[in-house]
Amino acid sequence: MARRPMMAANWKMNKTIREAQQYTAALLPRAADAEGVDVAVFVPFTCLHEVARMAEDTPVIAGAQNFYYEDSGAFTGEVSVPMLQDAGAGAGIVGHSERREIFAESDEMVARKTARAVEAGLLPIVCVGETKEERDAGDMWEKVSGQIRRVMEKLDDPDGDALVFAYEPIWAIGTGDTATPEDAQDAIGQIRDLLRELGGDDFAGAVRILYGGSVKPDNVAEIMAQEDVDGALVGGASLEVESFMQLVEAARETVPSDG
Ligand code: PEP
């Protein structure tokens, strides 16, 4: 089954509103040619409304980097799914390793957030991945499969296009130490097999699984060439339009010419 590739920029805690405007103004005309690819930018909350406004009626999806699973109430500092949708977001990252490791987000919280987003029609990009210590100890699959099982338990017969997973080995994020394309395929192929067991053939065939971890213009083509890799979630190399567009173009190359 052909899945639509996605190239997703995660700005993390970077860019003022003015910088976001400049980036978006430069990105939009170039991304308009990226037929067949979903281009998403995950921006700080402060820039979200402006980026979403600029990207309205374009193929670029504006997204948030985090959100809470309750809709409103006494949750100081949090932002809800309806608030993101009100600001124009079409997607949101869930359970990025920086949220899990620095802000102690549990598998349960990540699962609840994912379920709330799916219910509301906000596309969640659910991040999973292991630390270096877990990988070296041979515990990679126990960690990753546990994270995925927890999310799937909370979803009631979801469509494969209602969410996206991102396999992001923590040791490869922001380190320049990327997984080999074969490692990415091995892990993502295993994730797809697990999703087939948990969600059925149609779900596993349709759900997109991205790779994340030091994806750059010089390694993206090999990663995108892997059978089960449907795109990338990118931090460092997404901060400049020029390098992000090289990644989008590499994703475009994987789209069949009639697609
Ligand atoms: C990320 O932020 O999800 C990420 C993969 O970062 P980087 O591309 O910088 O490793």
Coordinates of all heavy atoms in Angstrom, one line a residue, residues 55-91:
A55 N -0.1 29.7 6.7 CA -0.1 28.4 5.9 C -1.5 28.0 5.5 O -1.7 27.0 4.8 CB 0.5 27.3 6.7
E56 N -2.5 28.8 5.9 CA -3.9 28.4 5.6 C -4.1 28.3 4.1 O -3.5 29.1 3.3 CB -4.8 29.5 6.2 CG -6.2 29.0 6.4 CD -7.1 30.1 7.1 OE1 -6.5 31.1 7.6 OE2 -8.3 29.9 7.0
D57 N -4.8 27.3 3.6 CA -5.1 27.1 2.2 C -3.8 26.8 1.4 O -3.7 27.0 0.2 CB -5.8 28.3 1.6 CG -7.1 28.5 2.2 OD1 -7.8 27.5 2.6 OD2 -7.5 29.7 2.3
T58 N -2.7 26.3 2.1 CA -1.5 25.8 1.5 C -1.4 24.3 1.9 O -2.0 23.9 2.9 CB -0.3 26.6 1.9 OG1 0.2 26.1 3.2 CG2 -0.5 28.1 1.9
P59 N -0.5 23.6 1.3 CA -0.3 22.2 1.7 C 0.5 22.0 3.0 O 0.6 20.9 3.5 CB 0.5 21.6 0.5 CG 0.5 22.6 -0.6 CD 0.3 23.9 0.0
V60 N 1.0 23.1 3.5 CA 1.9 23.0 4.7 C 1.0 22.9 6.0 O 0.0 23.7 6.1 CB 2.8 24.2 4.8 CG1 3.6 24.2 6.2 CG2 3.8 24.2 3.7
I61 N 1.3 21.9 6.8 CA 0.5 21.7 8.0 C 1.2 22.4 9.2 O 2.4 22.2 9.4 CB 0.4 20.2 8.4 CG1 -0.2 19.5 7.2 CG2 -0.4 20.0 9.7 CD1 0.0 18.0 7.2
A62 N 0.6 23.2 10.0 CA 1.2 23.8 11.1 C 0.8 23.0 12.3 O -0.3 22.5 12.5 CB 0.6 25.3 11.4
G63 N 1.8 22.7 13.2 CA 1.6 21.8 14.3 C 2.2 22.4 15.6 O 3.1 23.2 15.5
A64 N 1.8 21.8 16.7 CA 2.4 22.1 18.0 C 3.3 21.0 18.4 O 3.3 19.9 17.9 CB 1.3 22.3 19.0
Q65 N 4.2 21.3 19.4 CA 5.2 20.3 19.9 C 4.7 19.5 21.1 O 5.4 18.6 21.5 CB 6.5 21.0 20.2 CG 7.1 21.7 19.0 CD 8.2 22.6 19.4 OE1 8.7 22.6 20.5 NE2 8.6 23.5 18.5
N66 N 3.5 19.9 21.6 CA 3.1 19.2 22.8 C 1.6 19.8 23.1 O 1.2 20.8 22.6 CB 4.0 19.6 24.0 CG 3.5 19.0 25.3 OD1 3.1 17.8 25.3 ND2 3.6 19.7 26.4
F67 N 0.9 19.0 23.9 CA -0.4 19.5 24.4 C -0.9 18.6 25.5 O -0.3 17.5 25.8 CB -1.5 19.5 23.2 CG -1.6 18.1 22.5 CD1 -2.4 17.1 23.0 CD2 -0.8 17.9 21.4 CE1 -2.4 15.9 22.3 CE2 -0.8 16.6 20.8 CZ -1.7 15.6 21.2
Y68 N -2.0 19.0 26.2 CA -2.5 18.2 27.3 C -3.7 17.5 26.9 O -4.4 17.9 25.9 CB -2.7 19.1 28.5 CG -2.9 18.4 29.8 CD1 -1.9 17.5 30.2 CD2 -4.0 18.6 30.6 CE1 -2.0 16.8 31.4 CE2 -4.1 17.9 31.8 CZ -3.1 17.0 32.2 OH -3.3 16.3 33.4
Y69 N -4.1 16.5 27.7 CA -5.3 15.6 27.2 C -6.6 16.1 27.8 O -7.7 15.7 27.3 CB -5.1 14.2 27.6 CG -4.7 13.9 29.0 CD1 -5.7 13.8 30.0 CD2 -3.4 13.6 29.4 CE1 -5.4 13.6 31.3 CE2 -3.0 13.3 30.7 CZ -4.0 13.3 31.6 OH -3.7 13.0 32.9
E70 N -6.6 17.1 28.8 CA -7.9 17.6 29.2 C -8.2 18.9 28.3 O -7.2 19.5 27.8 CB -7.8 18.1 30.7 CG -7.6 16.9 31.7 CD -8.8 16.0 31.8 OE1 -9.9 16.3 31.3 OE2 -8.6 15.0 32.5
D71 N -9.4 19.2 28.2 CA -9.8 20.3 27.3 C -9.6 21.7 27.9 O -9.4 22.7 27.2 CB -11.2 20.1 26.8 CG -11.3 19.0 25.7 OD1 -10.2 18.4 25.4 OD2 -12.4 18.7 25.3
S72 N -9.9 21.8 29.2 CA -9.8 23.1 29.9 C -9.7 22.8 31.4 O -9.9 21.7 31.8 CB -11.0 23.9 29.6 OG -12.2 23.3 30.1
G73 N -9.4 23.8 32.2 CA -9.4 23.6 33.6 C -8.2 24.1 34.3 O -7.4 24.8 33.7
A74 N -8.0 23.6 35.5 CA -6.9 24.1 36.4 C -5.6 23.3 36.1 O -5.2 22.4 36.8 CB -7.3 24.0 37.8
F75 N -5.0 23.6 34.9 CA -3.8 22.9 34.5 C -2.8 24.0 34.0 O -2.5 24.1 32.8 CB -4.1 21.9 33.4 CG -5.1 20.9 33.8 CD1 -6.4 21.0 33.3 CD2 -4.8 19.9 34.6 CE1 -7.4 20.1 33.7 CE2 -5.8 19.0 35.0 CZ -7.1 19.1 34.6
T76 N -2.3 24.8 35.0 CA -1.5 25.9 34.7 C -0.3 25.6 33.8 O 0.4 24.6 34.0 CB -0.9 26.5 36.0 OG1 -2.0 26.8 36.8 CG2 -0.1 27.7 35.8
G77 N -0.2 26.4 32.7 CA 0.9 26.2 31.8 C 0.6 25.2 30.6 O 1.5 25.1 29.7
E78 N -0.5 24.6 30.7 CA -0.8 23.6 29.6 C -1.7 24.2 28.5 O -2.4 25.2 28.7 CB -1.5 22.3 30.2 CG -0.6 21.6 31.2 CD 0.6 20.9 30.5 OE1 0.5 20.5 29.3 OE2 1.7 20.9 31.1
V79 N -1.7 23.5 27.4 CA -2.5 23.9 26.2 C -3.2 22.7 25.7 O -2.7 21.6 25.7 CB -1.6 24.5 25.1 CG1 -2.3 24.8 23.9 CG2 -0.9 25.8 25.6
S80 N -4.5 22.9 25.5 CA -5.3 21.7 25.1 C -5.5 21.5 23.6 O -5.2 22.4 22.8 CB -6.7 21.8 25.7 OG -7.5 22.8 25.1
V81 N -6.0 20.3 23.2 CA -6.2 20.0 21.8 C -7.2 21.0 21.2 O -6.9 21.6 20.1 CB -6.7 18.6 21.6 CG1 -7.2 18.3 20.2 CG2 -5.6 17.6 22.0
P82 N -8.4 21.3 21.8 CA -9.2 22.3 21.2 C -8.6 23.7 21.0 O -8.8 24.4 20.1 CB -10.4 22.4 22.1 CG -10.4 21.1 22.8 CD -9.0 20.7 23.0
M83 N -7.7 24.0 22.0 CA -7.0 25.3 21.9 C -6.0 25.3 20.7 O -5.9 26.3 19.9 CB -6.2 25.6 23.1 CG -7.0 26.0 24.3 SD -6.0 26.0 25.8 CE -7.1 26.6 27.0
L84 N -5.4 24.2 20.5 CA -4.5 24.1 19.3 C -5.3 24.2 18.0 O -4.9 24.9 17.0 CB -3.7 22.8 19.3 CG -2.7 22.5 20.4 CD1 -2.0 21.2 20.1 CD2 -1.8 23.7 20.5
Q85 N -6.4 23.5 18.0 CA -7.3 23.6 16.8 C -7.8 25.0 16.5 O -7.8 25.5 15.4 CB -8.4 22.6 16.8 CG -7.8 21.1 16.8 CD -8.8 20.0 17.0 OE1 -9.6 20.1 17.9 NE2 -8.8 19.1 16.1
D86 N -8.1 25.7 17.6 CA -8.6 27.1 17.5 C -7.5 28.0 16.9 O -7.7 28.9 16.2 CB -9.0 27.5 18.9 CG -9.5 28.9 19.0 OD1 -10.4 29.2 18.1 OD2 -9.1 29.7 19.8
A87 N -6.2 27.6 17.3 CA -5.1 28.4 16.8 C -4.7 28.0 15.3 O -3.8 28.6 14.7 CB -3.9 28.2 17.7
G88 N -5.3 27.0 14.8 CA -5.1 26.6 13.4 C -4.2 25.4 13.2 O -3.9 25.0 12.1
A89 N -3.9 24.7 14.3 CA -3.0 23.5 14.2 C -3.8 22.3 13.6 O -4.9 22.1 13.9 CB -2.5 23.1 15.6
G90 N -3.0 21.6 12.7 CA -3.6 20.4 12.2 C -3.0 19.1 12.8 O -3.4 18.0 12.5
A91 N -1.9 19.3 13.5 CA -1.2 18.2 14.1 C -0.4 18.6 15.3 O -0.3 19.8 15.6 CB -0.1 17.7 13.0

